[in-house]
């Protein structure tokens, strides 16, 4: 087992261990006095892992209730959030109880946001079951839902009490969901760690499992370092959004339908790199292709820019975006929205 301590305003640990979901009750017992747990998950993860998680929790003296919603980004909205609040309320979940978010990024984001708001905040634990959630969204305390104006536009910062990463759960991922997580992994290599990037270049989607434990640890450790330095996303944390401004726009253009977050991020990283560091583009694209990720989009740039103007990283009239001019180093560039549109449209 490996542990990473996250020293944010409310500190916690990330446990990285194969098979850890079957021991989650033991670990959760150490971070709460509560004996009641609301497990929030989606229908796919529910059928795969909820029995294991609930058995471990019950064996460790917890009483469990379970809420499941349909898998997918389309569920990450105010309607599902309302249903979660009603579920917590009807089941008399109090401030001394705890929520367990069991699933991928959608589950972690919405269950985390429900925990941040319900009774003005109750404790929660993340058990991420996708690569994207393990290396990115479960760590760092960003929680959110989507609204019609855009992705993650309503949310809160709330750190979990504990994160339990079991890389055995990645074995049940479909190749497209594994690829989706690999886009974030490649992002970490690009923004902070050339050695990680080289390791990724010497593998592909077929054999990445050989280095998965190493990848998960390295990415979470990078995220730890960035989040500890800028918990509330006012400065350096923005580098984690390399490829995301255009990525979210492409996802939006596809109505979040049959187009994963990772695909958007992959193309977003390529579009920015094509403009600002064209000499790096080929290397980046080769790596993305090895993990079955796209490097271009059919969406016309002109149709993507209106989505970018709604990006969270905009301030009035200007936008911040991330550029990597060498592998392993990222910089935040701030320009007027008009200049960004001009550069991208050229
Ligand atoms: N996923 C980007 C961040 O946590 O800041």
């Amino acid at each position: 087992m490996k542990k990473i301590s996250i020293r944010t305003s409310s500190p916690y640990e990330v446990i990285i261990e194969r098979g850890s979901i079957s021991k989650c009750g033991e670990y959760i017992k150490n971070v709460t006095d509560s004996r009641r747990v609301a497990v929030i998950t989606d229908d796919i993860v529910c059928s795969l892992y909820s029995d294991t998680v609930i058995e471990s929790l019950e064996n460790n003296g917890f009483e469990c209730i379970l809420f499941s919603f349909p898998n997918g980004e389309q569920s990450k909205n105010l309607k599902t959030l309302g249903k979660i609040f009603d579920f917590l309320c009807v089941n008399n979940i109090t401030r001394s109880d705890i929520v367990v978010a069991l699933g991928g990024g959608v589950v972690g984001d919405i269950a985390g946001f429900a925990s941040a708001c319900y009774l003005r905040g109750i404790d929660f634990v993340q058990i991420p079951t996708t690569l994207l959630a393990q290396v990115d969204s479960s760590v760092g305390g960003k929680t959110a839902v989507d609204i019609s104006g855009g992705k993650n536009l309503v949310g809160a910062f709330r750190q979990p009490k504990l994160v339990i990463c079991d890389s055995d759960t990645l074995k049940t991922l479909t190749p497209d969901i594994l690829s989706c997580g690999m886009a974030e992994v490649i992002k970490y290599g690009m923004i902070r760690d050339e050695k990680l990037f080289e390791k990724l270049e010497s593998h592909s989607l077929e054999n990445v499992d050989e280095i998965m434990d190493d990848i998960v640890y390295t990415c979470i450790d990078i995220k730890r370092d960035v989040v500890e330095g800028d918990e509330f996303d006012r400065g350096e944390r923005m580098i984690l959004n390399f490829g995301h401004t255009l990525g979210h726009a492409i996802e939006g253009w596809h109505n979040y339908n049959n187009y994963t977050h990772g695909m958007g991020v992959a193309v977003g990283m390529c579009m920015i790199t094509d403009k600002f560091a064209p000499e790096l583009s080929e290397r980046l694209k080769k790596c993305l292709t090895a993990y079955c990720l796209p490097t271009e989009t059919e969406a016309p740039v002109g149709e993507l820019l209106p989505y970018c103007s709604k990006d969270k990283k905009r301030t009035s009239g200007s936008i911040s975006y991330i550029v990597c001019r060498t592998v392993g180093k990222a910089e935040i560039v701030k320009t007027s929205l008009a200049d960004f549109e001009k550069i991208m449209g050229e």
Side-chain angles (χ1 to χ4, degrees):
M1 185 228 280
K2 285 188 173 167
K3 273 189 191 175
I4 296 180
S5 299
I6 314 284
R7 289 179 214 87
T8 37
S9 52
S10 159
Y12 55 100
E13 282 185 335
V14 181
I15 292 173
I16 305 165
E17 181 184 26
R18 290 198 183 239
S20 52
I21 63 162
S22 58
K23 296 194 220 160
C24 67
E26 243 170 81
Y27 297 136
I28 294 172
K29 209 164 58 177
N30 294 331
V31 297
T32 182
D33 294 329
S34 152
R35 284 295 162 259
R36 295 191 76 220
V37 181
V39 178
I40 299 179
T41 188
D42 68 36
D43 52 353
I44 294 180
V45 179
C46 187
S47 63
L48 291 168
Y49 301 120
S50 63
D51 286 351
T52 310
V53 165
I54 287 173
E55 190 185 328
S56 173
L57 286 164
E58 288 180 346
N59 287 344
N60 282 279
F62 289 100
E63 179 203 329
C64 299
I65 54 169
L66 176 68
F67 180 89
S68 163
F69 59 82
N71 173 274
E73 190 74 30
Q74 282 83 356
S75 288
K76 204 176 100 180
N77 54 35
L78 294 168
K79 198 166 158 207
T80 311
L81 184 70
K83 287 185 186 166
I84 294 173
F85 289 148
D86 289 342
F87 170 80
L88 297 174
C89 187
V90 164
N91 285 285
N92 297 316
I93 291 293
T94 68
R95 272 190 182 158
S96 57
D97 299 323
I98 192 160
V99 164
V100 167
L102 171 67
V106 168
V107 170
D109 281 5
I110 196 166
F113 188 43
S115 307
C117 302
Y118 180 71
L119 305 181
R120 298 204 176 95
I122 66 171
D123 289 344
F124 76 111
V125 169
Q126 293 268 20
I127 305 185
T129 58
T130 63
L131 181 59
L132 179 142
Q134 292 192 359
V135 299
D136 186 28
S137 57
S138 66
V139 177
K142 279 190 181 173
T143 71
V145 293
D146 306 334
I147 55 172
S148 52
K151 196 174 151 116
N152 295 336
L153 290 190
V154 176
F157 287 97
R158 187 164 183 95
Q159 302 295 340
K161 294 297 280 183
L162 177 70
V163 181
I164 301 172
C165 289
D166 178 349
S167 34
D168 276 348
T169 61
L170 308 182
K171 288 183 184 150
T172 52
L173 296 181
T174 55
D176 60 322
I177 302 299
L178 189 61
S179 280
C180 174
M182 284 310 301
E184 296 285 355
V185 172
I186 293 168
K187 173 201 80 179
Y188 281 111
M190 286 291 289
I191 61 170
R192 263 297 174 89
D193 191 337
E194 184 164 21
K195 282 211 168 66
L196 169 64
F197 195 85
E198 284 166 356
K199 218 174 270 174
L200 300 172
E201 284 176 308
S202 65
H203 287 75
S204 69
L205 197 64
E206 280 73 51
N207 62 5
V208 69
D209 191 51
E210 289 169 8
I211 51 165
M212 196 51 91
D213 289 336
D214 191 18
I215 286 179
V216 170
Y217 183 88
T218 305
C219 293
I220 295 174
D221 201 44
I222 295 171
K223 180 129 193 195
R224 173 201 59 71
D225 189 49
V226 174
V227 166
E228 284 179 353
D230 177 25
E231 180 175 350
F232 298 106
D233 207 13
R234 300 281 172 209
E236 206 213 346
R237 184 166 178 169
M238 285 189 223
I239 67 169
L240 297 173
N241 285 317
F242 178 46
H244 282 60
T245 300
L246 286 155
H248 286 164
I250 298 166
E251 282 183 84
W253 190 85
H254 284 272
N255 286 320
Y256 306 101
N257 234 338
N258 296 321
Y259 205 88
T260 66
H261 176 65
M263 290 163 80
V265 169
V267 177
M269 291 192 288
C270 292
M271 288 173 79
I272 284 285
T273 306
D274 281 344
K275 290 286 171 198
F276 292 89
E279 64 289 353
L280 259 194
S281 277
E282 202 187 318
R283 190 171 171 200
L284 171 62
K285 287 178 185 172
K286 198 166 166 217
C287 188
L288 292 167
T289 306
Y291 293 91
C292 302
L293 287 157
T295 57
E296 53 188 29
T297 174
E298 63 193 284
V301 177
E303 290 181 25
L304 296 178
L305 293 172
Y307 291 93
C308 297
S309 66
K310 291 211 175 63
D311 191 86
K312 286 188 301 307
K313 291 167 297 304
R314 77 190 191 284
T315 44
S316 61
S318 68
I319 186 161
S320 296
Y321 51 94
I322 313 308
V323 173
C324 294
R325 296 184 207 272
T326 48
V327 174
K329 279 206 175 70
E331 68 188 83
I332 303 167
V333 178
K334 191 171 178 179
T335 53
S336 68
L337 261 174
D339 279 353
F340 180 71
E341 292 186 7
K342 202 168 142 228
I343 295 165
M344 293 316 298
E346 272 164 5

